[in-house]
Amino acid sequence: MTWMDMTESEIREATAALGVPSFRAAQISDWLKKGVRPSEMSNLPKSLREKMAAVPFGGATIFRKYVSAKDGTVKYLFALEDDNLVEGVLMRYSYGNTVCLSTQIGCNMGCKFCASTLNGCVRNLRPGEMLSFLAEIERDEPPKDGKSRTITNIVLMGSGEPLDNYDNVVTFLKRVTSPDGPNISARNISVSTCGIVPKIYRFMEDAPHVTLSISLHAPSDEIRSSVMPINKAYPIGEVLASAKAYADRTGRRVVFEYALIGETNDSHADAIALAKRLKGMLCHVNLIPLNPVKERGLKGVSREHAYQFCEWLNREHISATVRREMGADIDGACGQLRRRVLNELNG
Ligand code: SAH
């Protein structure tokens, strides 16, 4: 157990075990909520801060930061206590600020267009690490204009497959929505999955108030299996059935992500086939022109073509939009920034 992973009662127990007076536990807890490490807890005696070093901190520090000159998007590379690096992004919108967080270092899902999975999954992230990303961003970019917080929305769409790190992600969601913690409304949180069907059914019971996004990326098993190996285990029909169950159970529409890949899933026939599959479902399609990853050899599409594909869907009465491009000048798709910096560091 690390300090950042502890609940308030666990902090009380851990501090009592170190022989610390109980009023200090509340102070420690306040600091940890802000993601502050013991050595920087300035209202504690030095001897106590030293004692606390017996337990690992379990948080992150900002290793690199890149700010987009275009739209103010900030891309962070966080360093963890075991020296692993992982990405997070702060995006500014008119309605608030969204943070995109990673759930694993790397990923095991093997999607053919994604940079995060190129070297597999190094390890799962713990709830305390994910909470620490938020705290570090809040400290780095303090709220402006009299607002009480910078981060209003969270998307778990960084590197990793959230449902492949199920327990840690559910614990993180409980803590981040708790009034004792960051208190971010579940309605302002989206979790994106490649479609691990049995976990989707569990997730709708454990986290019914968050928005579920499913990476669909294809209208047929043939195309989906060619770009997403997970489709061989959970084919598209089962994924769509779980999405429908989710919409029925929660009353919330499911968002399908669809990365448009040139000459793969972007034709008029693909749009019609997709519309046919989604007809009648409470859902929305989020179209993303592929951000080509050089190691992957797949083609992107122009934004114009993405709008055309969107119109083909809309004409079939499928709700769809093309995702806004954020921070295009500071590095692209999932896992690309970490990869580039690791390559630089390793010469
Ligand atoms: N593992 C989760 C979260 C991944 S990232 C999932 O699969 O949903 C969020 C989205 O970005 C996913 O839809 C993913 O498929 C997509 N993505 C990954 N690499 C991309 C790329 N190079 N271009 C466009 N979208 C990409």
Side-chain angles (χ1 to χ4, degrees), residues 120-139:
C121 179
V122 179
R123 71 168 173 85
N124 286 329
L125 291 171
R126 294 186 305 270
E129 290 174 318
M130 293 184 257
L131 288 163
S132 159
F133 301 151
L134 293 178
E136 286 297 296
I137 295 174
E138 280 286 346
R139 282 209 288 171

PDB file of all heavy atoms in Angstrom, residues 120-139:
ATOM      1  N   GLY A 120       3.609  -3.751 -25.756  1.00  0.00           N
ATOM      2  CA  GLY A 120       2.812  -4.470 -24.759  1.00  0.00           C
ATOM      3  C   GLY A 120       2.541  -3.636 -23.523  1.00  0.00           C
ATOM      4  O   GLY A 120       2.807  -2.433 -23.494  1.00  0.00           O
ATOM      5  N   CYS A 121       1.980  -4.293 -22.502  1.00  0.00           N
ATOM      6  CA  CYS A 121       1.651  -3.590 -21.258  1.00  0.00           C
ATOM      7  C   CYS A 121       2.770  -3.793 -20.249  1.00  0.00           C
ATOM      8  O   CYS A 121       3.123  -4.923 -19.940  1.00  0.00           O
ATOM      9  CB  CYS A 121       0.319  -4.110 -20.705  1.00  0.00           C
ATOM     10  SG  CYS A 121      -0.155  -3.315 -19.165  1.00  0.00           S
ATOM     11  N   VAL A 122       3.335  -2.691 -19.755  1.00  0.00           N
ATOM     12  CA  VAL A 122       4.406  -2.784 -18.752  1.00  0.00           C
ATOM     13  C   VAL A 122       3.797  -3.108 -17.389  1.00  0.00           C
ATOM     14  O   VAL A 122       4.226  -4.019 -16.704  1.00  0.00           O
ATOM     15  CB  VAL A 122       5.203  -1.465 -18.684  1.00  0.00           C
ATOM     16  CG1 VAL A 122       6.293  -1.527 -17.626  1.00  0.00           C
ATOM     17  CG2 VAL A 122       5.781  -1.119 -20.055  1.00  0.00           C
ATOM     18  N   ARG A 123       2.766  -2.346 -17.011  1.00  0.00           N
ATOM     19  CA  ARG A 123       2.030  -2.655 -15.779  1.00  0.00           C
ATOM     20  C   ARG A 123       0.761  -1.810 -15.688  1.00  0.00           C
ATOM     21  O   ARG A 123       0.605  -0.826 -16.413  1.00  0.00           O
ATOM     22  CB  ARG A 123       2.903  -2.473 -14.529  1.00  0.00           C
ATOM     23  CG  ARG A 123       3.231  -1.039 -14.182  1.00  0.00           C
ATOM     24  CD  ARG A 123       3.836  -0.979 -12.771  1.00  0.00           C
ATOM     25  NE  ARG A 123       4.332   0.338 -12.428  1.00  0.00           N
ATOM     26  CZ  ARG A 123       3.595   1.325 -11.923  1.00  0.00           C
ATOM     27  NH1 ARG A 123       2.298   1.175 -11.738  1.00  0.00           N
ATOM     28  NH2 ARG A 123       4.158   2.480 -11.598  1.00  0.00           N
ATOM     29  N   ASN A 124      -0.112  -2.220 -14.777  1.00  0.00           N
ATOM     30  CA  ASN A 124      -1.320  -1.452 -14.495  1.00  0.00           C
ATOM     31  C   ASN A 124      -0.974  -0.215 -13.675  1.00  0.00           C
ATOM     32  O   ASN A 124      -0.041  -0.250 -12.870  1.00  0.00           O
ATOM     33  CB  ASN A 124      -2.294  -2.290 -13.661  1.00  0.00           C
ATOM     34  CG  ASN A 124      -2.961  -3.366 -14.488  1.00  0.00           C
ATOM     35  OD1 ASN A 124      -3.189  -3.205 -15.685  1.00  0.00           O
ATOM     36  ND2 ASN A 124      -3.295  -4.476 -13.837  1.00  0.00           N
ATOM     37  N   LEU A 125      -1.772   0.850 -13.846  1.00  0.00           N
ATOM     38  CA  LEU A 125      -1.637   1.991 -12.950  1.00  0.00           C
ATOM     39  C   LEU A 125      -2.541   1.778 -11.740  1.00  0.00           C
ATOM     40  O   LEU A 125      -3.616   1.181 -11.853  1.00  0.00           O
ATOM     41  CB  LEU A 125      -2.014   3.280 -13.681  1.00  0.00           C
ATOM     42  CG  LEU A 125      -1.011   3.685 -14.767  1.00  0.00           C
ATOM     43  CD1 LEU A 125      -1.554   4.837 -15.601  1.00  0.00           C
ATOM     44  CD2 LEU A 125       0.326   4.089 -14.138  1.00  0.00           C
ATOM     45  N   ARG A 126      -2.098   2.270 -10.586  1.00  0.00           N
ATOM     46  CA  ARG A 126      -2.897   2.153  -9.364  1.00  0.00           C
ATOM     47  C   ARG A 126      -3.793   3.387  -9.210  1.00  0.00           C
ATOM     48  O   ARG A 126      -3.488   4.449  -9.760  1.00  0.00           O
ATOM     49  CB  ARG A 126      -1.963   2.025  -8.147  1.00  0.00           C
ATOM     50  CG  ARG A 126      -1.154   0.725  -8.127  1.00  0.00           C
ATOM     51  CD  ARG A 126      -0.370   0.615  -6.816  1.00  0.00           C
ATOM     52  NE  ARG A 126       0.466   1.784  -6.600  1.00  0.00           N
ATOM     53  CZ  ARG A 126       1.721   1.887  -7.018  1.00  0.00           C
ATOM     54  NH1 ARG A 126       2.295   0.901  -7.661  1.00  0.00           N
ATOM     55  NH2 ARG A 126       2.397   2.987  -6.792  1.00  0.00           N
ATOM     56  N   PRO A 127      -4.868   3.244  -8.423  1.00  0.00           N
ATOM     57  CA  PRO A 127      -5.773   4.394  -8.233  1.00  0.00           C
ATOM     58  C   PRO A 127      -5.030   5.633  -7.749  1.00  0.00           C
ATOM     59  O   PRO A 127      -5.295   6.744  -8.225  1.00  0.00           O
ATOM     60  CB  PRO A 127      -6.759   3.904  -7.161  1.00  0.00           C
ATOM     61  CG  PRO A 127      -6.663   2.422  -7.171  1.00  0.00           C
ATOM     62  CD  PRO A 127      -5.305   2.055  -7.694  1.00  0.00           C
ATOM     63  N   GLY A 128      -4.098   5.456  -6.820  1.00  0.00           N
ATOM     64  CA  GLY A 128      -3.361   6.600  -6.270  1.00  0.00           C
ATOM     65  C   GLY A 128      -2.550   7.315  -7.341  1.00  0.00           C
ATOM     66  O   GLY A 128      -2.376   8.535  -7.294  1.00  0.00           O
ATOM     67  N   GLU A 129      -2.050   6.547  -8.320  1.00  0.00           N
ATOM     68  CA  GLU A 129      -1.281   7.179  -9.398  1.00  0.00           C
ATOM     69  C   GLU A 129      -2.212   8.006 -10.289  1.00  0.00           C
ATOM     70  O   GLU A 129      -1.882   9.138 -10.673  1.00  0.00           O
ATOM     71  CB  GLU A 129      -0.550   6.107 -10.210  1.00  0.00           C
ATOM     72  CG  GLU A 129       0.575   5.477  -9.400  1.00  0.00           C
ATOM     73  CD  GLU A 129       1.257   4.310 -10.090  1.00  0.00           C
ATOM     74  OE1 GLU A 129       0.565   3.467 -10.707  1.00  0.00           O
ATOM     75  OE2 GLU A 129       2.491   4.213  -9.976  1.00  0.00           O
ATOM     76  N   MET A 130      -3.384   7.447 -10.586  1.00  0.00           N
ATOM     77  CA  MET A 130      -4.321   8.194 -11.436  1.00  0.00           C
ATOM     78  C   MET A 130      -4.810   9.449 -10.697  1.00  0.00           C
ATOM     79  O   MET A 130      -4.943  10.529 -11.294  1.00  0.00           O
ATOM     80  CB  MET A 130      -5.474   7.279 -11.858  1.00  0.00           C
ATOM     81  CG  MET A 130      -4.998   6.151 -12.786  1.00  0.00           C
ATOM     82  SD  MET A 130      -6.378   5.135 -13.380  1.00  0.00           S
ATOM     83  CE  MET A 130      -6.199   3.703 -12.374  1.00  0.00           C
ATOM     84  N   LEU A 131      -5.067   9.336  -9.380  1.00  0.00           N
ATOM     85  CA  LEU A 131      -5.470  10.516  -8.598  1.00  0.00           C
ATOM     86  C   LEU A 131      -4.342  11.540  -8.578  1.00  0.00           C
ATOM     87  O   LEU A 131      -4.584  12.755  -8.629  1.00  0.00           O
ATOM     88  CB  LEU A 131      -5.822  10.100  -7.160  1.00  0.00           C
ATOM     89  CG  LEU A 131      -7.135   9.338  -7.029  1.00  0.00           C
ATOM     90  CD1 LEU A 131      -7.210   8.611  -5.680  1.00  0.00           C
ATOM     91  CD2 LEU A 131      -8.331  10.284  -7.187  1.00  0.00           C
ATOM     92  N   SER A 132      -3.135  11.041  -8.519  1.00  0.00           N
ATOM     93  CA  SER A 132      -1.985  11.935  -8.473  1.00  0.00           C
ATOM     94  C   SER A 132      -1.814  12.710  -9.787  1.00  0.00           C
ATOM     95  O   SER A 132      -1.415  13.880  -9.771  1.00  0.00           O
ATOM     96  CB  SER A 132      -0.765  11.099  -8.120  1.00  0.00           C
ATOM     97  OG  SER A 132       0.403  11.713  -8.480  1.00  0.00           O
ATOM     98  N   PHE A 133      -2.159  12.101 -10.930  1.00  0.00           N
ATOM     99  CA  PHE A 133      -2.094  12.848 -12.201  1.00  0.00           C
ATOM    100  C   PHE A 133      -3.007  14.080 -12.112  1.00  0.00           C
ATOM    101  O   PHE A 133      -2.634  15.180 -12.515  1.00  0.00           O
ATOM    102  CB  PHE A 133      -2.556  12.004 -13.401  1.00  0.00           C
ATOM    103  CG  PHE A 133      -1.773  10.738 -13.630  1.00  0.00           C
ATOM    104  CD1 PHE A 133      -2.375   9.623 -14.214  1.00  0.00           C
ATOM    105  CD2 PHE A 133      -0.441  10.656 -13.268  1.00  0.00           C
ATOM    106  CE1 PHE A 133      -1.668   8.456 -14.427  1.00  0.00           C
ATOM    107  CE2 PHE A 133       0.284   9.477 -13.486  1.00  0.00           C
ATOM    108  CZ  PHE A 133      -0.341   8.379 -14.060  1.00  0.00           C
ATOM    109  N   LEU A 134      -4.208  13.865 -11.572  1.00  0.00           N
ATOM    110  CA  LEU A 134      -5.160  14.982 -11.456  1.00  0.00           C
ATOM    111  C   LEU A 134      -4.606  16.061 -10.537  1.00  0.00           C
ATOM    112  O   LEU A 134      -4.662  17.252 -10.855  1.00  0.00           O
ATOM    113  CB  LEU A 134      -6.488  14.493 -10.882  1.00  0.00           C
ATOM    114  CG  LEU A 134      -7.313  13.550 -11.737  1.00  0.00           C
ATOM    115  CD1 LEU A 134      -8.571  13.147 -10.984  1.00  0.00           C
ATOM    116  CD2 LEU A 134      -7.688  14.211 -13.058  1.00  0.00           C
ATOM    117  N   ALA A 135      -4.085  15.617  -9.395  1.00  0.00           N
ATOM    118  CA  ALA A 135      -3.570  16.582  -8.416  1.00  0.00           C
ATOM    119  C   ALA A 135      -2.399  17.365  -9.008  1.00  0.00           C
ATOM    120  O   ALA A 135      -2.289  18.586  -8.820  1.00  0.00           O
ATOM    121  CB  ALA A 135      -3.150  15.853  -7.140  1.00  0.00           C
ATOM    122  N   GLU A 136      -1.522  16.678  -9.735  1.00  0.00           N
ATOM    123  CA  GLU A 136      -0.365  17.369 -10.336  1.00  0.00           C
ATOM    124  C   GLU A 136      -0.820  18.396 -11.360  1.00  0.00           C
ATOM    125  O   GLU A 136      -0.257  19.479 -11.454  1.00  0.00           O
ATOM    126  CB  GLU A 136       0.568  16.350 -11.011  1.00  0.00           C
ATOM    127  CG  GLU A 136       1.392  15.522 -10.047  1.00  0.00           C
ATOM    128  CD  GLU A 136       2.349  16.364  -9.226  1.00  0.00           C
ATOM    129  OE1 GLU A 136       3.260  16.980  -9.800  1.00  0.00           O
ATOM    130  OE2 GLU A 136       2.162  16.420  -7.995  1.00  0.00           O
ATOM    131  N   ILE A 137      -1.835  18.051 -12.143  1.00  0.00           N
ATOM    132  CA  ILE A 137      -2.329  18.995 -13.157  1.00  0.00           C
ATOM    133  C   ILE A 137      -2.985  20.192 -12.472  1.00  0.00           C
ATOM    134  O   ILE A 137      -2.760  21.342 -12.844  1.00  0.00           O
ATOM    135  CB  ILE A 137      -3.296  18.302 -14.155  1.00  0.00           C
ATOM    136  CG1 ILE A 137      -2.541  17.236 -14.962  1.00  0.00           C
ATOM    137  CG2 ILE A 137      -3.932  19.327 -15.106  1.00  0.00           C
ATOM    138  CD1 ILE A 137      -3.417  16.379 -15.874  1.00  0.00           C
ATOM    139  N   GLU A 138      -3.771  19.932 -11.422  1.00  0.00           N
ATOM    140  CA  GLU A 138      -4.403  21.055 -10.685  1.00  0.00           C
ATOM    141  C   GLU A 138      -3.347  21.990 -10.103  1.00  0.00           C
ATOM    142  O   GLU A 138      -3.518  23.206 -10.107  1.00  0.00           O
ATOM    143  CB  GLU A 138      -5.274  20.538  -9.527  1.00  0.00           C
ATOM    144  CG  GLU A 138      -6.630  20.043  -9.903  1.00  0.00           C
ATOM    145  CD  GLU A 138      -7.671  21.130 -10.262  1.00  0.00           C
ATOM    146  OE1 GLU A 138      -7.465  22.335  -9.989  1.00  0.00           O
ATOM    147  OE2 GLU A 138      -8.690  20.751 -10.833  1.00  0.00           O
ATOM    148  N   ARG A 139      -2.254  21.409  -9.601  1.00  0.00           N
ATOM    149  CA  ARG A 139      -1.204  22.257  -9.016  1.00  0.00           C
ATOM    150  C   ARG A 139      -0.456  23.023 -10.091  1.00  0.00           C
ATOM    151  O   ARG A 139      -0.043  24.158  -9.912  1.00  0.00           O
ATOM    152  CB  ARG A 139      -0.199  21.390  -8.249  1.00  0.00           C
ATOM    153  CG  ARG A 139      -0.718  20.965  -6.899  1.00  0.00           C
ATOM    154  CD  ARG A 139       0.415  20.773  -5.930  1.00  0.00           C
ATOM    155  NE  ARG A 139       1.180  19.577  -6.222  1.00  0.00           N
ATOM    156  CZ  ARG A 139       2.323  19.282  -5.624  1.00  0.00           C
ATOM    157  NH1 ARG A 139       2.846  20.109  -4.746  1.00  0.00           N
ATOM    158  NH2 ARG A 139       2.950  18.165  -5.914  1.00  0.00           N
TER     159      ARG A 139
END
